[in-house]
Amino acid sequence: MEEFRQKLHRDLRPTTLWGYNRQFPGPTIDTDQGNQMHIKWINNLPDKHLLPVDKSIHHLAHQPEVRTVTHLHGSVTTPESDGYPEAWFTKDFKKVGPAFQQQVYHYPNKQRATTLWYHDHAMGITRLNVYAGLAGMYIIRGTQEREMNIPNDPYEIPLIIMDRTTNEDGSLYYPAQPNNPTTNTPNPSISPAFIGDKILVNGKIWPYFEVEPRKYRFRILNASNTRGYQLYLSSGAPLYQIGSDGGFLPNTVKANTINIEPAERVDVIVDFSKYKENSIILKNDLGPNADPDDETNEIMQFRVQLPLKQRDHTIIPTYLSTIPSLKQNKIKAVRNLKLIGLNDDYGRPLLLLDNKKWGDPITETPELGSTEIWSIINVTGFSHPIHIHLVQFQLLDRRAFDLAHYNKDGRIIYTDSPAPPQPNEKGWKDTISAPSAQITRVISKFAPYTGKYVWHCHILEHEDYDMMRPFKVIDPNNQ
Ligand code: C2O
Ligand code: CU
Ligand code: CU
């Protein structure tokens, strides 16, 4: 991890960034299932942070300003290699956090083939470290996709989407304080959300990509801090979604728009064969109330200008994979977990998981190998992408309730019957949208490791304050 400069756009001066191997985003790590890997994460960053650090949260005034710890999102790894937020370390490993002091991480890659991503996870500054550039893609490949006759290299491309705001001199802008600070608000202070005014794909602002008139596979990752996207193509052509967070879906889902929340991945096939000599824009639907001057309704452009090198024999399969339902398992525990919003001593929003802060005692202790249902009850006014480490889970359903009534007397009155998952949510997930005034139920089997992990909202401004909690997988026979 180093500081360096990189051009984000032709018309912009180089931007100072933090990145893995001096790249933004970091290098795409591409490996085969079962091929275990060791990575030594080396912090070679300056002592001073690139962005404003709020020292009023998580006792950060007493800690080194620049701390890093890398998490491989969606991976099945031991706690020591998972990037626990308190397993941070400073430059040259000189100072270390209170948990798991380890620099070489082990990745077994023994899970289902899929698109993962690695990013920083340091306590209280994750939003700043990731915004500075510490994120990259990580692909685990299986034998199945090689036999499937779907587009592959060089017609399989990662698309890492994120938003940033830049200053005139090309430097990154990140707010030092929320929009309406009072005299009480610390400076710097965390903001409850961050939305950038420019969209980047693979480190370039509003780029274009030249394609042949044929099928492509795009592994799309939303690596933004807060922003979700509603993807669609300006040509009106469909997106064929074949995969989600945890690999192939049961069946291909033909969609006109696809929602992607922070940290989610969608694997899609796009067919450009009918669009020779045309340009197609990958767009972001901002909804009916969008500001007409808001340019974030565009993501990138595909120019169908390259000659077709050879006939495209690839297909868009209908059937993709079998996903055994976890519902058949014995359910060891059902946990009701509320997403709630309060105000802190400075009058700032404080978002919590089940009314508990990071530092409160661990309350979620699933037994090794057991299956649990987590009912996420969102009583805040907006949706949160909830992520659980270690596992890939399944969405059971979502059920709407009357939030106004809940706010009056704390009772949950359902306003509808449970809604089943959308077709593109019928695969494995590690991050799930939990909308406001709904109960989102997920089912997961906690295995194969015991020990301390975390679950959190993946809006990084929420995760840092304070929508993150530890959980501990315990072995009931061996405590
Ligand atoms: Cu992608 Cu705990 O995070
Ligand atoms: Cu994760
Ligand atoms: Cu959130």
Side-chain angles (χ1 to χ4, degrees):
M1 293 163 256
E2 286 188 301
E3 184 170 294
F4 61 99
R5 279 150 70 81
Q6 181 175 310
K7 264 177 94 73
L8 303 184
H9 190 273
R10 179 192 60 200
D11 302 333
L12 206 61
R13 282 161 56 197
T15 302
T16 301
L17 297 158
W18 288 2
Y20 301 95
N21 282 8
R22 304 180 78 83
Q23 287 180 44
F24 168 68
T28 295
I29 298 172
D30 199 318
T31 189
D32 287 332
Q33 212 174 27
N35 190 9
Q36 60 169 324
M37 190 172 332
H38 289 88
I39 299 182
K40 184 172 184 179
W41 300 103
I42 303 165
N43 177 337
N44 195 23
L45 291 165
D47 295 332
K48 192 147 174 38
H49 210 289
L50 192 59
L51 300 165
V53 176
D54 179 347
K55 308 233 163 129
S56 73
I57 61 170
H58 290 289
H59 313 286
L60 295 192
H62 310 288
Q63 287 180 10
E65 191 168 296
V66 176
R67 297 166 287 116
T68 59
V69 58
T70 312
H71 166 60
L72 179 55
H73 180 120
S75 72
V76 181
T77 48
T78 59
E80 295 77 15
S81 290
D82 192 53
Y84 197 72
E86 290 173 337
W88 52 261
F89 51 87
T90 62
K91 185 176 178 174
D92 298 328
F93 212 66
K94 276 210 189 86
K95 292 213 177 89
V96 293
F100 310 115
Q101 288 113 12
Q102 189 165 306
Q103 199 178 8
V104 178
Y105 277 24
H106 176 229
Y107 302 106
N109 299 322
K110 253 178 15 199
Q111 59 194 97
R112 210 164 183 256
T114 191
T115 308
L116 307 176
W117 65 300
Y118 59 99
H119 62 78
D120 195 77
H121 218 303
M123 197 68 220
I125 52 170
T126 294
R127 71 193 182 289
L128 305 173
N129 289 357
V130 172
Y131 191 80
L134 292 171
M137 192 177 273
Y138 186 112
I139 297 170
I140 302 178
R141 290 176 192 280
T143 46
Q144 192 202 347
E145 56 204 293
R146 275 189 274 273
E147 288 155 10
M148 260 171 45
N149 197 23
I150 54 175
N152 57 14
D153 182 46
Y155 304 107
E156 185 214 300
I157 312 279
L159 299 178
I160 305 173
I161 304 176
M162 49 186 126
D163 58 344
R164 294 289 183 272
T165 299
T166 49
N167 297 309
E168 292 222 346
D169 65 357
S171 58
L172 285 181
Y173 168 82
Y174 191 89
Q177 284 191 312
N179 280 334
N180 317 301
T182 66
T183 46
N184 246 341
T185 311
N187 191 9
S189 166
I190 190 165
S191 301
F194 172 83
I195 295 288
D197 63 6
K198 299 176 182 68
I199 309 296
L200 288 78
V201 182
N202 298 348
K204 291 287 180 196
I205 296 168
W206 288 307
Y208 70 86
F209 180 55
E210 293 186 328
V211 296
E212 296 176 29
R214 54 158 293 143
K215 292 181 218 74
Y216 279 75
R217 175 182 182 186
F218 297 108
R219 295 179 184 257
I220 305 176
L221 156 68
N222 179 359
S224 309
N225 280 31
T226 294
R227 188 190 277 276
Y229 301 83
Q230 285 249 60
L231 309 173
Y232 71 98
L233 295 168
S234 62
S235 59
L239 297 155
Y240 295 92
Q241 186 174 346
I242 56 171
S244 60
D245 302 341
F248 286 122
L249 294 169
N251 299 295
T252 299
V253 179
K254 182 180 174 185
N256 289 314
T257 63
I258 297 178
N259 253 336
I260 183 167
E261 296 291 321
E264 285 187 309
R265 284 88 67 210
V266 297
D267 200 339
V268 298
I269 295 177
V270 176
D271 189 356
F272 296 112
S273 61
K274 287 200 216 105
Y275 297 91
K276 220 171 156 182
E277 305 298 329
N278 281 310
S279 288
I280 296 172
I281 296 174
L282 176 62
K283 302 212 36 156
N284 173 28
D285 188 353
L286 296 174
N289 305 321
D291 174 352
D293 294 330
D294 189 339
E295 297 171 297
T296 62
N297 62 340
E298 299 198 336
I299 296 171
M300 68 174 289
Q301 189 186 50
F302 298 105
R303 297 184 183 166
V304 195
Q305 270 169 355
L306 298 178
L308 188 64
K309 279 215 196 82
Q310 49 185 230
R311 257 186 69 191
D312 180 9
H313 291 290
T314 64
I315 56 157
I316 302 173
T318 352
Y319 165 79
L320 295 162
S321 72
T322 313
I323 297 190
S325 168
L326 291 179
K327 272 191 269 187
Q328 323 310 334
N329 293 4
K330 177 168 164 265
I331 309 301
K332 186 81 198 186
V334 177
R335 301 183 192 272
N336 294 313
L337 303 159
K338 249 176 225 167
L339 313 183
I340 71 157
L342 305 170
N343 287 302
D344 73 1
D345 294 343
Y346 302 103
R348 301 180 294 186
L350 171 65
L351 292 152
L352 297 177
L353 300 175
D354 216 36
N355 215 4
K356 294 176 195 84
K357 294 189 183 170
W358 166 259
D360 289 327
I362 296 181
T363 40
E364 283 69 61
T365 55
E367 288 181 10
L368 179 66
S370 71
T371 302
E372 298 198 351
I373 292 174
W374 289 19
S375 268
I376 300 156
I377 308 162
N378 185 351
V379 299
T380 73
F382 27 86
S383 86
H384 301 269
I386 298 299
H387 170 48
I388 308 175
H389 283 216
L390 178 67
V391 295
Q392 291 286 336
F393 53 76
Q394 290 169 5
L395 173 64
L396 288 176
D397 48 36
R398 295 192 182 89
R399 192 168 191 186
F401 62 88
D402 186 339
L403 185 55
H405 198 289
Y406 172 85
N407 286 334
K408 255 186 273 146
D409 67 4
R411 281 202 312 153
I412 300 274
I413 313 279
Y414 291 115
T415 53
D416 215 337
S417 44
Q422 300 292 320
N424 68 344
E425 296 176 318
K426 288 185 174 159
W428 293 102
K429 297 285 295 164
D430 57 45
T431 307
I432 195 79
S433 169
S436 168
Q438 293 188 33
I439 297 185
T440 302
R441 296 196 312 146
V442 299
I443 184 167
S444 21
K445 183 176 171 183
F446 291 88
Y449 305 116
T450 55
K452 268 199 295 182
Y453 294 92
V454 299
W455 68 288
H456 57 91
C457 173
H458 220 290
I459 291 177
L460 302 182
E461 284 70 19
H462 296 178
E463 168 179 346
D464 277 344
Y465 194 57
D466 202 25
M467 263 189 146
M468 177 165 71
R469 290 279 295 152
F471 74 90
K472 190 172 181 186
V473 181
I474 56 168
D475 183 350
N477 306 314
N478 181 21
Q479 275 200 46

